Amino acid sequence: MTLGFSVDALLPKARGGGVLKMGLTKLDECEWLQPDPDLAERAEGFAAFPQGIQLSPESAAPGAELAAMLGLPGGLPEAARAHHEDMCLLTLREGEEQYRLVGAAVAWPSDWTPANKMGLPLRALHAPIQGYEEQLASGVDHFMAKLKPGAFYGRCNWFIAATDEKRWVAEPPEQAFARVTADNAGETLFVRSERQTLRRLPQTGAILFTIGIYVAPLGVLSRDNRHRLATAVASLIEGEGDRRGTGAYAGALIGYATKHPD
């Protein structure tokens, strides 16, 4: 397995700190989506967040293509409800160079609102991410343009949250992490990883972006992963730590990792 389906399996593949990188891994088709998804949990997620489904007219054809590929009736919402992963569709309009978000079926967003992102091109979608325009934008645009049908790529990331809820809305860091200490960080800090995949649909040419959410308490992770995170939070690029709220929890996380070397 080149890109696993748990926080512990994903963290070694995720970027630590420093310069932003796509960090893509080529996947076999059998590694594309999580096997045996909890469909009851997915149904609950969409019921609690119905606004996570956003469809433009441009999403109809690729959504139907995706559902048919997966042996399902319907379109994008039916595909996402039948799998662990949230799913987004991006298409390229004639005369443009950047793909745009045209459809989203997202039960468990990581502090974003699909309705606010619909129709935006890639660079605008990623505008809140420090360093994206300078370090990643051109590379992402090139990758998307060259991605061929039949190829599967994945990547992963990490966030630190104060909750294990799959749908995460970040609170002000000083409030969210107010009770976190080096002694209790193992139970009060939660590591959230997105297992993201990209593939081009062969008929419509749309790009499907999937996001599998995995959450675990800091204390259950391997020693190597706890120390990996401790190093990472100390080496984020300028401005990125502020967006992630690291000032409110970094000391506790590093302290916990130091106190629990095994």
Side-chain angles (χ1 to χ4, degrees):
M1 182 66 65
T2 56
L3 201 63
F5 296 95
S6 70
V7 176
D8 249 340
L10 291 168
L11 279 177
K13 302 285 188 176
R15 166 180 163 261
V19 176
L20 298 182
K21 299 178 182 178
M22 288 188 72
L24 293 172
T25 297
K26 192 163 187 179
L27 305 175
D28 292 331
E29 186 170 4
C30 64
E31 300 175 286
W32 175 35
L33 301 175
Q34 177 184 307
D36 301 320
D38 185 337
L39 299 186
E41 185 182 35
R42 292 295 285 164
E44 291 171 3
F46 280 113
F49 189 59
Q51 59 269 45
I53 295 178
Q54 298 288 327
L55 304 173
S56 74
E58 293 168 281
S59 72
E65 180 186 6
L66 170 63
M69 288 170 56
L70 295 170
L72 298 166
L76 179 62
E78 288 73 25
R81 289 190 181 105
H83 294 84
H84 176 80
E85 290 78 8
D86 290 334
M87 298 183 179
C88 296
L89 289 168
L90 301 105
T91 61
L92 188 63
R93 293 176 180 170
E94 186 174 354
E96 294 188 346
E97 296 182 352
Q98 290 185 57
Y99 280 77
R100 292 178 179 270
L101 179 67
V102 298
V106 180
W108 300 325
S110 296
D111 197 33
W112 65 287
T113 303
N116 294 343
K117 302 289 188 178
M118 285 292 293
L120 293 182
L122 277 172
R123 296 191 184 206
L125 281 170
H126 292 96
I129 300 176
Q130 285 80 4
Y132 179 86
E133 181 68 29
E134 300 81 5
Q135 299 175 19
L136 266 186
S138 295
V140 172
D141 291 345
H142 180 77
F143 170 81
M144 299 282 272
K146 298 297 184 182
L147 182 61
K148 297 185 182 302
F152 298 77
Y153 287 90
R155 67 180 301 273
C156 55
N157 58 18
W158 59 268
F159 303 94
I160 303 297
T163 176
D164 63 353
E165 293 291 328
K166 290 281 182 65
R167 178 166 63 90
W168 175 46
V169 179
E171 299 177 289
E174 295 77 11
Q175 175 182 334
F177 301 109
R179 294 184 294 276
V180 178
T181 68
D183 290 325
N184 69 18
E187 296 79 44
T188 57
L189 290 182
F190 296 86
V191 185
R192 179 184 182 90
S193 187
E194 296 178 327
R195 184 188 191 271
Q196 305 171 350
T197 75
L198 290 150
R199 67 173 296 183
R200 186 182 297 282
L201 303 184
Q203 296 176 10
T204 59
I207 289 179
L208 173 68
F209 178 61
T210 74
I211 313 161
I213 299 297
Y214 301 90
V215 186
L218 177 67
V220 307
L221 300 183
S222 69
R223 177 189 66 84
D224 286 348
N225 277 333
R226 293 196 299 268
H227 285 277
R228 184 174 283 112
L229 288 168
T231 300
V233 297
S235 58
L236 298 174
I237 64 172
E238 183 177 357
E240 187 181 6
D242 295 336
R243 182 176 68 88
R244 290 174 175 263
T246 55
Y249 67 75
L253 190 156
I254 294 169
Y256 181 86
T258 302
K259 290 183 176 184
H260 298 81
D262 298 321

